[in-house]
Amino acid sequence: MREMTVKVFRFDPETDEKPHFQTYLVRVNDGARVLHALHCIKEDHDPSLSYRYCCASGQCGSCAVKVNGEPVLACMEEATDGMVIEPLDLPIKRDLVVDMEPYLDQIATLVPAEECPLPTQDVVEQIKPLRSCIECLACVSVCPALKVIDFSGPTAMRESLRLALDPRDTGDRVAEAVEDGLFTCTSCQACWKVCPKDIQIPGKAIERLRALANEKGLTLPRHQTVEKLVRETGRSVDRTQETFLEQVPEVLEPYGEVKGTVGFFVGCMYNNRLPRTALDAMEVLRRNGIRVIIPREQVCCGSPLIRTGQIDYLNTLKRRNIDAFVFRGIDTVMTMCAGCGSTLKNDYDCPFRVMDINEVLTKVGIEPPARLELKATYHDPCHLMRGQGIRTQPRELISQVVDLVEMPAICCGSGGGVRSGVPEEAAALAEDRRIEIEKTGADIVISSCPFCEYHIMEHTDKPVKNITTVLLEGYREKDRRKKEKEC
Amino acid sequence: MRSFEVIDSHVLVIGSGGAGVRAAIEASFSGDTVMVSKTIAGKGGCTTMAEGGYNAVLRETDSCEDHFLDTLKGGAYLNDRELARILVNDAPGRIADLLCWGAVFDVTGECEVAQRPFGGQRFPRTCYAGDRTGHEMMMTLLDRLASTDVEVFNEIAIIDLLKDGDSVAGAVGLDEKGEIVIFRSDATVLATGGGSRIYDISTNSSSGTGDGFALGYRAGAELIDMEQVQFHPTGAVYPYDARGRLVTEAVRGEGGLLKNIEGERFMERYDPERMELSTRDVVARSIATEILEGRGTKNGGVYLDVTHLPRHQVETRLPVMLEQFLKFGVDIRDEPMEVAPTAHHIMGGLRISSGGETSVPGLYACGEVTGGVHGANRLGGNALADTQVFGRRAGESAGKARKRSISLDEGQIDLQERRLAAFYAGEVNPATVARSLQTAMWEGAGIFRTGSELEKTLEMINHLSTLNLKAANRCNLIECCTVQNMLTTASLVVRGAILRKESRGAHVRKDVTQAWDASNSPYRHTFLSLCDEGIETGVWE
Ligand SMILES: Cc1cc2nc3c(=O)[nH]c(=O)nc-3n(C[C@H](O)[C@H](O)[C@H](O)COP(=O)(O)OP(=O)(O)OC[C@H]3O[C@@H](n4cnc5c(N)ncnc54)[C@H](O)[C@@H]3O)c2cc1C
Ligand code: SF4
Ligand code: SF4
Ligand code: FES
């Protein structure tokens, strides 16, 4: 037996004005799950506690709750001392019980044809992972899109793809999915990361549905424009100034001893829209002993096409990019755009290692910059945090130069083609970010993705800076102070 | 009497498991149908949890006669012959329905439904959707249900069946806020599933508390063979709080080996021919004996090992098992699982006709709440088939029931109100009573039984039934009713066990020596109802 304290969200709408937390001391057996801690509270302390469960074995999807802020299945997640248990972010009925039915009702149902041809083994294998959903709604509870716009949500999209693939179904699922908000998904990956069944909804369902929509000519006009631009220029955004690639030589030598060499994949945004930031990054790399090789013939990674389901031209892009680095014998390619990094790591089969700049810098260990008298908050780019699992490294770098105040990690709305395709949604999500930024009281916002930086910049009056820019400012300050001393 | 919400329908279906939804779909063709369940439809009950599969004869080389004989042999010849015959004959048709409605079962390269071997069957006839077969069926059934006019009431527990004279005419429900809801219907289908939660160690979902047995019994229905409780041989033993969680028979079907602490494949000593794929009663007793005789693991189990199988096979055929055990810190591709028997399925239940009629007019039943189909031991894969075969039949008969005008029995509703009011004045936490009951049942009416222990257990149940259960608030009322149902169900099981003075199938009486084997037993069904109880005699041919 083990003792642990558990803090539980309590709310009875009939008697309580507002929710409160209550702490209990529970005794459970070794290996007990969150559910068993709840049982213990109900049996030994407070029979009035309400929560749902049924199978107690991860199969029915009744018991999803938030533990320490993360959605989990209560029956599968191990109970830990000091844990905080809350309901999912869905309308609350009582204590930990949320109203699931309205969301379950959004999931389309199969309408069988007269003849019912069995799906082939190949189709069954494609459908099976989609069917393992237990409709726990963890994904729905974290989806940023459906909080601000009409969208049936991740699990509904999952089932729509299943229906679209199933030869027995008669509905026009792709058109319906478009109707239900297929293009409102920002590819933030939040749904996938909380799914107890590890269903990769954005990559395996939404992008596939978007590709099917593309075959049916249902791609949004603005996304088509992007595709055209990529085909014509190799870039997904047009040029407004001298590009990064036009400003740098093919090899940048470090200032001191060479600690390592990377090939640099710049990406469309840093090349065409924010070249200044990429140049700042180069300075930081050079100062820290990294030799950077920059193949000129690199093009768009293809992410804007993959995310929007326009994949015809993709293989050409992939080949050109891979060749550019392979030709120079590069074994490590560094990205600084979160989206490009996630794409190279997850959508490519690269014959070289791909590392984000935050990984590179923390791995070599940076020269300490001067501390700046600034309070900063950090916006986690979805494609960095969830797409590449990079969470601690940026923080490690930032806290060497400024004071960091955390805010919740939520999508800013710029991804998945939403910024161009559904601007009102992108703006609504950015507004939510603005509010969170305000709450932190920070002087500046730091991020590590050109899409996030560009988008948030438009919606807050605080300066938005890339991590490397802030580091560079730290170095400049250091140099200035040193010089001051010398004088 | 206060005024209540009254919901009228032609057919009322209680329970949203495989049997209930199938019945509701069928009934909806004949008139207004209402389906009510304690849980959100699709999430509650045991169908959703069923992993292994669905038995049906689909190949030229197999035959319904063989399936029938397997079912009888597995059932220790206690099966109602007509019901068993219907089960095997209708099972292929009902899986065909599911496939038409979109069920995603595994298929072979030739686009035929794939089948795997299961215990006690001479042909690999168990169809499956990975190891989430029941879930796949439920999702499919709910899809089909959505295209009917059936009205669904989620999270309402039925606490009593309404009687109009001698016949059942609906039910009294309690919603999540503790408010009474009256359902009035020409025909009522009971599809509340099983009740092995009356045991300390059980595979069942939270709704497997035997409500239907108790509701039916109180309404005057006759129940048969309630002593026949299947102990599944392989339940998880760790973590302790999740003990009993099912480790599907598919693990053995795929080639999993049972070993004791000495590494011996002990099934050789119990059933050398069928080994791990012997029937559940035999395997469960073998494991229990190994553990009792000191050849079990520290956690009180034996090993179930799939480490010799190709990793790919474990990953694709047993993904749910793999995932569950990983969560509990065991990678079954590299280490054996630890398992021990767990209370799983109640073979007994309401006596039904081939059309699902119970002994009470107006009341129909299907699924695990019924008795007779599986005799004294159910074959793995036969229960899911049962839900579809008899779900459809019960739904159809209920749909055809005569329309009638029903007068509400205010006295009965009054009685229910007083029952609920008494809970507010009670003093014992229902959870504590449930705990005591579960322990008593595990110890006194488990895998091995004796007359004297059964009598002691019955005394305990009777004592627990006299305690005044306490509801802390409105939401606890349902729990109090549930615990009362558990007590009734437990009492039915124990009384049946006392009546059956022989070992047969899942029921083992250590205090009885018998000169017959199952096929020529002088006994038939045990029966229990409000007015009578006993055991039928006579040898079946
Ligand atoms: C873990 C597990 C695995 C299994 N695997 C297999 C397998 O592989 N193959 C096989 O053939 N069989 C298997 N079985 C057995 C099989 O799943 C069940 O016998 C069968 O699904 C029962 O179906 P049902 O519709 O009768 O009841 P259930 O599916 O249990 O549904 C009962 C319904 O009744 C409702 N209910 C209960 N009480 C009330 C009340 N008072 N008021 C209102 N509603 C109520 C519940 O909410 C639920 O919706 C398994 C069982 C378990 C527990
Ligand atoms: S997709 Fe995953 S998270 Fe979403 S409802 Fe299904 S199982 Fe839950
Ligand atoms: S990727 Fe993000 S926006 Fe898209 S469905 Fe998932 S949670 Fe919602
Ligand atoms: S209780 Fe069924 S998934 Fe947790």
Side-chain angles (χ1 to χ4, degrees):
Chain A
M1 284 295 224
R2 285 194 301 150
E3 273 199 348
M4 56 175 75
T5 50
V6 181
K7 205 164 133 186
V8 185
F9 176 100
R10 301 296 310 266
F11 180 53
D12 182 348
E14 306 217 338
T15 55
D16 303 346
E17 229 168 70
K18 58 182 200 324
H20 65 280
F21 281 92
Q22 200 151 328
T23 305
Y24 304 91
L25 186 66
V26 299
R27 283 168 62 81
V28 289
N29 288 290
D30 198 33
R33 306 290 121 177
V34 172
L35 180 65
H36 305 125
L38 292 173
H39 286 340
C40 177
I41 296 173
K42 193 170 173 76
E43 284 171 29
D44 299 342
H45 301 276
D46 189 349
S48 73
L49 177 67
S50 293
Y51 54 94
R52 257 198 210 104
Y53 83 102
C54 218
C55 70
S57 52
Q59 291 168 291
C60 73
S62 307
C63 67
V65 289
K66 272 197 301 183
V67 173
N68 299 332
E70 282 292 308
V72 294
L73 295 179
C75 66
M76 296 307 281
E77 190 70 14
E78 187 157 2
T80 51
D81 190 22
M83 66 183 169
V84 181
I85 311 176
E86 295 167 88
L88 292 181
D89 287 332
L90 295 173
I92 294 162
K93 287 179 111 173
R94 225 183 104 86
D95 296 338
L96 303 173
V97 178
V98 295
D99 194 4
M100 302 182 82
E101 287 174 54
Y103 298 95
L104 296 175
D105 289 345
Q106 301 253 346
I107 302 173
T109 57
L110 185 134
V111 181
E114 288 288 319
E115 292 271 294
C116 44
L118 270 193
T120 60
Q121 199 172 28
D122 174 47
V123 173
V124 167
E125 291 311 318
Q126 289 182 54
I127 293 178
K128 268 168 82 176
L130 301 168
R131 282 297 262 187
S132 63
C133 167
I134 53 173
E135 301 183 354
C136 68
L137 303 186
C139 57
V140 172
S141 77
V142 297
C143 175
L146 63 69
K147 293 201 168 79
V148 297
I149 200 159
D150 270 348
F151 176 35
S152 59
T155 188
M157 287 293 133
R158 166 201 60 74
E159 187 60 13
S160 295
L161 175 64
R162 174 267 158 135
L163 293 173
L165 295 175
D166 199 312
R168 293 164 293 189
D169 181 56
T170 51
D172 185 354
R173 303 306 176 171
V174 177
E176 281 170 28
V178 173
E179 241 351 77
D180 291 342
L182 177 61
F183 287 105
T184 66
C185 161
T186 66
S187 309
C188 76
Q189 320 279 329
C191 50
W192 172 28
K193 292 295 155 172
V194 300
C195 175
K197 300 288 157 182
D198 199 26
I199 305 175
Q200 198 185 341
I201 293 178
K204 297 277 162 68
I206 288 177
E207 285 165 16
R208 280 217 52 195
L209 275 170
R210 288 180 177 180
L212 293 174
N214 184 248
E215 286 170 17
K216 289 180 174 258
L218 296 172
T219 300
L220 299 182
R222 292 195 205 195
H223 292 167
Q224 291 173 9
T225 315
V226 173
E227 206 251 3
K228 191 156 162 271
L229 197 63
V230 174
R231 276 183 196 269
E232 287 168 6
T233 67
R235 289 291 170 200
S236 60
V237 290
D238 47 16
R239 53 174 291 158
T240 50
Q241 52 190 300
E242 194 179 15
T243 68
F244 170 80
L245 289 173
E246 286 162 3
Q247 298 181 49
V248 288
E250 175 146 339
V251 181
L252 284 171
E253 294 294 344
Y255 295 122
E257 166 208 355
V258 181
K259 292 192 196 153
T261 303
V262 297
F264 179 41
F265 186 89
V266 59
C268 301
M269 282 293 281
Y270 283 130
N271 190 51
N272 288 20
R273 291 282 167 81
L274 299 164
R276 189 64 256 151
T277 311
L279 292 170
D280 289 350
M282 295 307 109
E283 279 304 298
V284 172
L285 291 164
R286 294 177 76 184
R287 182 142 183 165
N288 284 291
I290 313 284
R291 186 163 171 266
V292 190
I293 304 173
I294 311 166
R296 221 157 279 284
E297 66 272 29
Q298 56 178 296
V299 287
C300 170
C301 69
S303 171
L305 307 186
I306 303 173
R307 310 297 154 233
T308 57
Q310 311 177 87
I311 48 181
D312 292 347
Y313 193 56
L314 189 63
N315 284 337
T316 315
L317 295 176
K318 282 188 178 175
R319 208 185 43 247
R320 282 170 65 182
N321 285 324
I322 290 177
D323 287 352
F325 290 94
V326 168
F327 177 69
R328 289 169 178 80
I330 292 167
D331 60 9
T332 303
V333 171
M334 186 193 73
T335 51
M336 71 177 281
C337 166
C340 300
S342 173
T343 303
L344 293 189
K345 283 177 179 174
N346 304 320
D347 299 287
Y348 275 55
D349 263 326
C350 291
F352 39 74
R353 181 165 60 155
V354 180
M355 285 177 90
D356 175 72
I357 190 166
N358 290 283
E359 291 175 294
V360 171
L361 290 174
T362 45
K363 185 146 180 271
V364 296
I366 58 164
E367 172 201 337
R371 278 202 87 76
L372 305 174
E373 290 308 310
L374 276 178
K375 202 158 99 177
T377 186
Y378 173 64
H379 167 79
D380 280 292
C382 296
H383 289 289
L384 196 62
M385 183 176 81
R386 293 185 268 274
Q388 302 178 56
I390 297 177
R391 224 194 86 82
T392 54
Q393 297 90 330
R395 288 174 168 78
E396 197 181 301
L397 297 171
I398 293 169
S399 37
Q400 294 190 47
V401 58
V402 290
D403 288 337
L404 177 63
V405 220
E406 293 285 354
M407 62 176 173
I410 304 166
C411 177
C412 69
S414 66
V418 167
R419 191 180 141 86
S420 62
V422 198
E424 69 279 18
E425 177 195 351
L429 288 169
E431 173 60 15
D432 287 351
R433 284 280 79 180
R434 189 190 66 77
I435 294 167
E436 290 296 339
I437 292 167
E438 283 305 312
K439 279 196 219 156
T440 64
D443 310 307
I444 63 165
V445 184
I446 300 180
S447 196
S448 192
C449 167
F451 293 94
C452 301
E453 288 159 26
Y454 202 80
H455 188 58
I456 297 174
M457 224 177 275
E458 277 183 355
H459 291 89
T460 170
D461 43 16
K462 304 268 184 263
V464 181
K465 294 185 180 174
N466 184 270
I467 290 185
T468 52
T469 304
V470 183
L471 286 176
L472 187 62
E473 283 172 14
Y475 288 137
R476 293 207 170 119
E477 177 63 17
K478 189 176 178 183
D479 296 345
R480 194 186 60 76
R481 286 184 200 164
K482 198 169 153 213
K483 218 156 151 202
E484 227 173 56
K485 246 196 193 149
E486 281 165 6
C487 294
Chain B
M1 192 184 83
R2 283 190 292 141
S3 65
F4 299 106
E5 190 180 355
V6 179
I7 290 147
D8 284 306
S9 62
H10 175 49
V11 176
L12 169 69
V13 177
I14 306 170
S16 63
V21 178
R22 188 63 185 84
I25 290 169
E26 205 62 28
S28 71
F29 303 141
S30 313
D32 303 343
T33 301
V34 160
M35 186 179 83
V36 50
S37 90
K38 218 172 175 172
T39 50
I40 296 178
K43 297 206 171 290
C46 294
T47 308
T48 313
M49 302 170 69
E51 296 162 355
Y54 178 118
N55 295 341
V57 172
L58 301 178
R59 303 281 197 276
E60 290 280 314
T61 38
D62 193 7
S63 77
C64 286
E65 185 59 24
D66 281 356
H67 188 186
F68 177 71
L69 292 175
D70 286 344
T71 300
L72 244 52
K73 181 153 184 255
Y77 303 96
L78 186 60
N79 320 57
D80 179 307
R81 303 304 195 258
E82 189 193 359
L83 297 181
R85 181 70 73 185
I86 290 171
L87 174 78
V88 303
N89 287 348
D90 285 8
R94 296 296 75 77
I95 199 172
D97 292 348
L98 289 169
L99 291 167
C100 243
W101 300 338
V104 187
F105 276 72
D106 280 61
V107 295
T108 65
E110 288 73 50
C111 216
E112 288 172 328
V113 175
Q115 292 181 302
R116 65 177 157 213
F118 246 35
Q121 301 189 60
R122 64 193 81 179
F123 192 89
R125 66 168 73 88
T126 307
C127 316
Y128 57 94
D131 56 0
R132 45 167 292 281
T133 312
H135 183 254
E136 181 58 39
M137 286 172 57
M138 258 349 288
M139 293 296 115
T140 305
L141 287 165
L142 288 176
D143 270 17
R144 181 69 184 85
L145 187 75
S147 65
T148 66
D149 296 327
V150 175
E151 201 179 345
V152 180
F153 291 84
N154 284 328
E155 302 192 300
I156 294 186
I158 296 302
I159 59 166
D160 206 25
L161 295 176
L162 270 180
K163 294 288 285 280
D164 184 10
D166 282 339
S167 71
V168 166
V172 182
L174 207 53
D175 71 12
E176 48 189 340
K177 293 187 177 147
E179 300 285 345
I180 285 185
V181 187
I182 304 289
F183 295 91
R184 195 162 48 182
S185 56
D186 300 322
T188 301
V189 181
L190 204 51
T192 46
S196 77
R197 283 258 146 225
I198 58 173
Y199 286 92
D200 181 40
I201 304 176
S202 158
T203 60
N204 275 197
S205 78
S206 63
S207 63
T209 47
D211 291 14
F213 303 113
L215 292 169
Y217 179 72
R218 284 207 302 272
E222 187 185 29
L223 290 91
I224 57 171
D225 301 332
M226 284 300 289
E227 70 283 359
Q228 297 294 356
V229 179
Q230 178 170 81
F231 291 85
H232 196 289
T234 57
V237 297
Y238 181 85
Y240 182 79
D241 288 321
R243 64 193 179 282
R245 197 168 41 86
L246 183 72
V247 176
T248 170
E249 182 163 329
V251 174
R252 282 172 291 132
E254 293 293 335
L257 305 177
L258 284 167
K259 294 175 187 166
N260 61 23
I261 190 87
E262 289 147 20
E264 179 203 8
R265 268 181 83 185
F266 56 83
M267 284 310 295
E268 245 152 42
R269 280 186 275 114
Y270 301 92
D271 187 346
E273 224 161 84
R274 297 184 294 182
M275 295 294 286
E276 279 84 1
L277 285 180
S278 180
T279 46
R280 288 180 177 174
D281 52 341
V282 176
V283 183
R285 281 197 291 275
S286 310
I287 296 177
T289 307
E290 289 299 301
I291 297 169
L292 279 175
E293 293 178 357
R295 290 186 294 279
T297 65
K298 173 167 107 305
N299 287 325
V302 296
Y303 293 120
L304 175 58
D305 196 349
V306 291
T307 55
H308 60 288
L309 298 178
R311 299 172 79 82
H312 176 73
Q313 185 180 350
V314 176
E315 286 153 15
T316 54
R317 301 289 185 77
L318 305 166
V320 176
M321 279 299 108
L322 178 61
E323 172 202 311
Q324 280 188 7
F325 274 88
L326 273 178
K327 268 270 175 194
F328 297 117
V330 176
D331 186 338
I332 65 172
R333 292 166 298 191
D334 300 323
E335 331 160 50
M337 297 163 250
E338 275 180 72
V339 295
T342 169
H344 185 47
H345 190 94
I346 301 200
M347 274 77 68
L350 276 78
R351 196 197 281 269
I352 53 165
S353 71
S354 59
E357 295 129 316
T358 70
S359 59
V360 184
L363 183 65
Y364 302 76
C366 51
E368 195 171 334
V369 76
T370 68
V373 179
H374 307 290
N377 175 46
R378 169 176 72 79
L379 291 184
N382 267 359
L384 288 181
D386 174 358
T387 63
Q388 298 309 289
V389 168
F390 290 97
R392 174 175 166 194
R393 285 174 167 257
E396 189 178 10
S397 320
K400 287 190 184 138
R402 178 171 62 75
K403 301 227 188 312
R404 54 181 164 152
S405 68
I406 294 161
S407 49
L408 275 186
D409 178 351
E410 302 209 348
Q412 200 191 345
I413 297 168
D414 248 14
L415 209 63
Q416 289 306 314
E417 280 203 285
R418 270 184 277 140
R419 176 184 177 199
L420 298 178
F423 292 139
Y424 287 122
E427 60 270 341
V428 192
N429 185 345
T432 319
V433 176
R435 203 55 89 69
S436 308
L437 173 72
Q438 289 163 333
T439 315
M441 286 299 287
W442 188 256
E443 282 166 6
I447 302 183
F448 299 109
R449 301 164 172 179
T450 65
S452 63
E453 280 172 48
L454 288 167
E455 292 291 352
K456 248 178 42 203
T457 311
L458 189 58
E459 261 172 50
M460 178 68 171
I461 297 169
N462 290 338
H463 160 68
L464 291 173
S465 307
T466 61
L467 302 177
N468 297 319
L469 303 177
K470 176 181 171 57
N473 68 13
R474 294 166 289 118
C475 306
N476 289 141
L477 292 171
I478 292 184
E479 281 151 48
C480 292
C481 294
T482 300
V483 170
Q484 289 183 331
N485 291 332
M486 290 171 77
L487 288 163
T488 306
T489 301
S491 150
L492 292 167
V493 169
V494 174
R495 279 151 62 199
I498 293 171
L499 286 170
R500 186 171 295 285
K501 292 185 179 49
E502 64 169 343
S503 293
R504 190 152 178 195
H507 172 71
V508 177
R509 284 284 298 260
K510 284 200 297 186
D511 57 339
V512 177
T513 37
Q514 67 200 53
W516 58 85
D517 61 23
S519 60
N520 53 24
S521 162
Y523 297 118
R524 294 187 176 185
H525 304 301
T526 58
F527 55 91
L528 297 151
S529 72
L530 282 177
C531 55
D532 198 8
E533 60 184 66
I535 184 161
E536 297 165 357
T537 53
V539 182
W540 262 303
E541 3 215 277

